[in-house]
């Protein structure tokens, strides 16, 4: 029997949202422990002892601590296989992982808080918008080869768990996603599903009331 995992998270972190979606999709009950990135709680000695990367998400399950969203999602896929987020076919699995990597390596790290804080405040939104626009354009071209109702075929996969939170950031920075119609359609379908809605940043316990 699995112990109830603890997820260290931040309401506006797209990386943490990926894991929240995967947990919800698989029906895994978990405890949420917010880490306020704006206050620098991720750099506290206590948190760094838990997660040397100083990032969210981080998941504790039993005596094990797992850092980085993709590692956590792969762990969940292997230990809770009943509702899979990876196709059985190896080519389709590779297609899912290509989209995951395009987002998690090619978009989000280039526009996250740690990068934006190195730029003058007047340049931050433009930088984020340019990075996201270029990256989503590449993802759209991948989806032309793989998409059905969702990113790879007609079932939700890890690719959708990563794409939808990246769109939180797209909307935040004013990216026009009408130029990526496959992405736009997938987002609309995902927003109808309860496990995506429950993972949205406005639904998190650490989201300030004025932002909901």
């Amino acid at each position: 029997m699995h112990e109830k995992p603890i997820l260290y998270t931040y309401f506006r972190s797209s990386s943490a949202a990926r894991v929240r979606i995967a947990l919800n999709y698989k029906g895994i009950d978990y405890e949420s422990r917010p880490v306020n990135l704006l206050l620098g709680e991720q750099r506290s000695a206590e948190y760094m002892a838990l997660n040397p990367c100083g990032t969210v998400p981080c998941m504790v399950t039993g005596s094990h601590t797992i850092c980085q969203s993709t590692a956590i999602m792969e762990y969940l896929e292997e230990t809770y296989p009943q509702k899979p987020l990876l196709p059985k076919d190896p080519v389709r699995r590779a297609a899912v992982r290509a989209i995951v990597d395009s987002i998690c390596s090619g978009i989000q790290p280039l526009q996250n808080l740690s990068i934006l804080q190195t730029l003058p405040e007047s340049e931050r939104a433009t930088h984020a918008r340019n990075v996201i626009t270029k990256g989503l354009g590449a993802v759209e071209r991948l989806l032309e080869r793989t998409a059905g109702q969702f990113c790879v075929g007609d079932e939700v996969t890890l690719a959708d768990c990563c794409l939808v939170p990246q769109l939180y950031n797209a909307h935040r920075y004013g990216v026009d996603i009408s130029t990526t119609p496959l992405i736009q359609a997938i987002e609309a379908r995902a927003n109808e599903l309860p496990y995506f809605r429950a993972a949205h940043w406005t639904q998190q316990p650490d989201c300030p009331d004025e932002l909901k």
Side-chain angles (χ1 to χ4, degrees):
M1 185 173 177
H2 297 285
E3 293 188 37
K4 184 177 181 178
I6 299 168
L7 181 68
Y8 290 84
T9 181
Y10 177 63
F11 75 100
R12 225 166 193 167
S13 165
S14 60
S15 298
R18 302 165 191 159
V19 177
R20 295 196 299 259
I21 294 167
L23 287 163
N24 294 343
Y25 182 83
K26 289 178 174 289
I28 302 169
D29 186 29
Y30 68 96
E31 178 185 342
S32 179
R33 291 193 184 174
V35 178
N36 192 318
L37 303 186
L38 294 182
L39 295 180
E41 291 178 356
Q42 72 277 21
R43 296 188 294 273
S44 70
E46 180 182 6
Y47 188 71
M48 291 291 287
L50 180 72
N51 177 7
C53 297
T55 58
V56 294
C58 175
M59 192 176 78
V60 176
T61 175
S63 60
H64 304 292
T65 301
I66 306 169
C67 307
Q68 302 295 344
S69 62
T70 53
I72 296 170
M73 291 189 298
E74 292 275 2
Y75 169 84
L76 294 174
E77 183 68 2
E78 292 170 358
T79 55
Y80 296 85
Q82 302 89 332
K83 200 173 180 185
L85 282 164
L86 282 171
K88 291 183 179 179
D89 177 70
V91 173
R92 291 165 70 83
R93 290 167 80 93
V96 169
R97 290 182 167 121
I99 296 168
V100 167
D101 197 44
S102 295
I103 295 165
C104 298
S105 299
I107 305 178
Q108 190 273 336
L110 304 179
Q111 53 88 98
N112 70 4
L113 181 63
S114 63
I115 295 297
L116 294 181
Q117 287 178 334
T118 68
L119 300 173
E121 191 165 353
S122 61
E123 298 177 12
R124 293 175 185 178
T126 299
H127 171 82
R129 188 163 51 249
N130 290 342
V131 166
I132 296 169
T133 298
K134 180 180 178 182
L136 290 181
V139 172
E140 180 80 2
R141 292 189 291 275
L142 290 175
L143 294 177
E144 290 172 358
R145 306 174 182 176
T146 64
Q149 294 294 298
F150 294 98
C151 286
V152 180
D154 294 330
E155 301 295 330
V156 172
T157 67
L158 294 178
D160 304 286
C161 295
C162 294
L163 175 62
V164 170
Q166 185 58 55
L167 298 177
Y168 304 165
N169 294 336
H171 296 307
R172 181 180 183 184
Y173 292 111
V175 174
D176 179 11
I177 68 165
S178 68
T179 62
T180 52
L182 292 173
I183 288 174
Q184 191 174 36
I186 290 166
E187 180 188 37
R189 294 185 191 102
N191 285 341
E192 295 176 358
L193 301 175
Y195 29 86
F196 283 92
R197 291 199 302 268
H200 193 273
W201 61 269
T202 59
Q203 303 304 304
Q204 304 317 303
D206 57 323
C207 179
D209 290 338
E210 63 268 22
L211 296 180
K212 291 184 179 179

